[in-house]
Amino acid sequence: MIKIIILNNLFENEIKNKIADLGIKSYRADQIFRAIHKQGVMSFDGINQVSKADIELLKKEFTISSMEILKDFHSKQDETIKLLYLLEDNNIIEGVLMKYKHGYSLCVSTQVGCRMGCDFCASTKKGLERNLEAFEIASQIYLVEKHFSINLSSIVLMGSGEPFDNYDNVIRALKLLNDKKGRNLSFRNMTVSTCGVADKIIEFGKDLPQANLAVSVHSFNNEIRNKVMPVNYKYPIERLFSAIREYLLITNNRISIEYTVIPGENNNDEDVNLFRKYLKNTNYIVNLIALNPINAYNNKEYKEEAKIFMEKLKASNINVTLRRELGSDISASCGQLKKSYLEEGERNEIHS
Ligand code: SF4
């Protein structure tokens, strides 16, 4: 039986090698690649440059998979737009489009669900459903740019899923996005966010040293971090920071440390000391995050506590900023929108 290959997962040279076996001229690979990754085409019909006869040959061994924007939710407080994407197998993933002074940034998902089990995250409640294909990661960018007629300045892989738990597809997607014949997005404008998969941090530094890395730390205390982020059992804080130091040596980058302030748990004086201990001689920026007021973890407003903690850190010469809260009225935190959307049963209405 012939295996059907997803054409939109492939680099131009891979397409070239495969179409040669079908007797299709190698220059067609350039046209196919550009159609998919520059024009965002998601069906054979959209590849106008290639002859009908060649398209019929392609269909014997390849498929072009598609996905679409299912819904967009516009914040009334700011210009944040939350998105739901519908995948070919009817799974749903989400994203957030944010507008900053320097341009648009898109928060991108890498898996359907997640198995990392972070305590405050709605994406993990049902565990991992499946990894996203490389094209499903890259196509989030293509779809959003087309739909809103914009050019994204940057992307952050911080939506549902742990990028390093789907490592090969993530790296492939970033390389596809970077390809000069395709979207040509600079690696410098890509940030991958991990909950702390230490081994992959080093691998990532070697594979894509130009891209940025953000690490969700949330506590430097193993006992607390075990509770909040079970990944810490496998990669305790000492192991995580030894990987981060190796990453920084390889890349010469600055790392972002993401830290959600959980009042009473991780914002005490001992925590400030731990910041100093682990971040000493490290090129970093700390992004403090106030727990989202509609987060299932706790319904209280935590902004004030985050501000107070930021001042304490600043007084200890920690390089810290408080992340601007965007789109809190549209469930802009990881996994929240999909969860509430599915709970409302709208999905059944749409797919019935
Ligand atoms: S925060 Fe990220 S890594 Fe943690 S469970 Fe949610 S999606 Fe997974």
Side-chain angles (χ1 to χ4, degrees):
M1 199 178 80
I2 298 171
K3 194 170 170 273
I4 296 287
I5 301 162
I6 300 174
L7 197 53
N8 28 356
N9 273 336
L10 303 184
F11 295 106
E12 185 192 347
N13 62 336
E14 294 171 330
I15 299 174
K16 205 178 270 177
N17 292 337
K18 291 192 188 299
I19 62 174
D21 300 342
L22 293 170
I24 300 174
K25 294 264 185 302
S26 65
Y27 69 87
R28 295 290 189 204
D30 171 273
Q31 295 169 332
I32 296 166
F33 185 86
R34 283 179 197 268
I36 293 171
H37 296 283
K38 200 174 174 76
Q39 293 155 27
V41 164
M42 285 193 200
S43 72
F44 282 111
D45 297 341
I47 307 179
N48 300 322
Q49 301 89 334
V50 179
S51 68
K52 285 219 168 78
D54 280 351
I55 292 286
E56 288 313 310
L57 284 174
L58 284 170
K59 282 181 181 170
K60 286 185 182 169
E61 282 205 18
F62 299 99
T63 178
I64 295 186
S65 289
S66 67
M67 54 189 272
E68 62 189 76
I69 293 177
L70 176 62
K71 276 203 161 215
D72 51 354
F73 302 82
H74 296 243
S75 169
K76 292 188 180 71
Q77 296 171 355
D78 51 55
E79 292 180 80
T80 304
I81 300 171
K82 187 83 195 220
L83 301 142
L84 290 176
Y85 307 88
L86 179 64
L87 307 179
E88 230 172 33
D89 61 359
N90 275 352
N91 268 309
I92 292 175
I93 52 165
E94 52 184 278
V96 189
L97 176 63
M98 296 155 289
K99 193 173 181 192
Y100 294 101
K101 274 187 207 134
H102 61 265
Y104 288 97
S105 181
L106 184 69
C107 178
V108 173
S109 289
T110 53
Q111 296 178 310
V112 182
C114 183
R115 64 183 177 132
M116 292 296 149
C118 301
D119 197 32
F120 43 80
C121 173
S123 292
T124 196
K125 300 295 177 212
K126 283 189 177 169
L128 174 66
E129 292 180 49
R130 72 168 173 87
N131 282 331
L132 292 187
E133 296 278 345
F135 87 87
E136 290 171 318
I137 299 169
S139 295
Q140 293 170 57
I141 287 87
Y142 307 152
L143 283 171
V144 165
E145 291 195 327
K146 237 185 191 174
H147 187 83
F148 297 104
S149 303
I150 55 168
N151 276 323
L152 293 166
S153 314
S154 61
I155 59 168
V156 284
L157 276 58
M158 212 182 253
S160 71
E162 162 55 52
F164 290 165
D165 195 35
N166 184 17
Y167 188 83
D168 292 345
N169 288 341
V170 163
I171 298 296
R172 176 173 279 268
L174 298 185
K175 287 183 175 172
L176 286 170
L177 284 163
N178 174 256
D179 197 295
K180 294 213 167 13
K181 290 188 177 177
R183 174 57 186 79
N184 192 17
L185 185 66
S186 161
F187 287 127
R188 290 267 166 242
N189 297 333
M190 303 178 186
T191 300
V192 173
S193 174
T194 177
C195 66
V197 183
D199 295 345
K200 293 291 180 191
I201 287 178
I202 299 167
E203 205 176 326
F204 181 64
K206 290 176 183 160
D207 286 340
L208 286 187
Q210 315 94 312
N212 305 296
L213 181 68
V215 180
S216 296
V217 172
H218 303 319
S219 176
F220 292 91
N221 174 319
N222 277 322
E223 228 171 276
I224 294 173
R225 200 161 187 272
N226 282 343
K227 268 201 291 180
V228 184
M229 307 180 77
V231 68
N232 197 67
Y233 285 106
K234 187 162 185 196
Y235 301 110
I237 201 77
E238 300 78 10
R239 176 129 181 240
L240 173 60
F241 269 82
S242 122
I244 288 174
R245 274 187 277 277
E246 197 170 334
Y247 168 86
L248 292 173
L249 273 179
I250 296 167
T251 62
N252 228 0
N253 282 348
R254 182 173 79 162
I255 193 160
S256 298
I257 303 289
E258 309 293 312
Y259 196 96
T260 302
V261 180
I262 309 168
E265 289 277 349
N266 66 356
N267 63 339
N268 302 307
D269 290 344
E270 310 89 81
D271 297 302
V272 177
N273 291 336
L274 290 173
F275 267 87
R276 286 175 33 204
K277 175 178 166 189
Y278 281 100
L279 298 178
K280 197 175 168 194
N281 300 328
T282 304
N283 191 4
Y284 70 90
I285 172 84
V286 173
N287 288 318
L288 280 192
I289 305 152
L291 266 180
N292 194 304
I294 53 167
N295 197 302
Y297 186 83
N298 197 319
N299 279 332
K300 271 168 68 188
E301 177 80 61
Y302 287 123
K303 248 193 226 164
E304 267 316 299
E305 279 91 343
K307 273 187 197 159
I308 294 166
F309 191 54
M310 178 174 72
E311 293 311 322
K312 272 191 191 175
L313 291 174
K314 277 186 175 167
S316 288
N317 292 321
I318 300 295
N319 188 15
V320 57
T321 61
L322 184 58
R323 196 196 285 169
R324 191 157 62 97
E325 195 186 314
L326 292 170
S328 64
D329 59 325
I330 47 163
S331 311
S333 283
C334 187
Q336 287 178 339
L337 183 68
K338 177 182 166 189
K339 188 166 169 277
S340 53
Y341 178 77
L342 293 178
E343 279 167 1
E344 279 165 24
E346 290 184 55
R347 184 185 189 185
N348 295 336
E349 272 169 43
I350 284 174
H351 297 290
S352 57

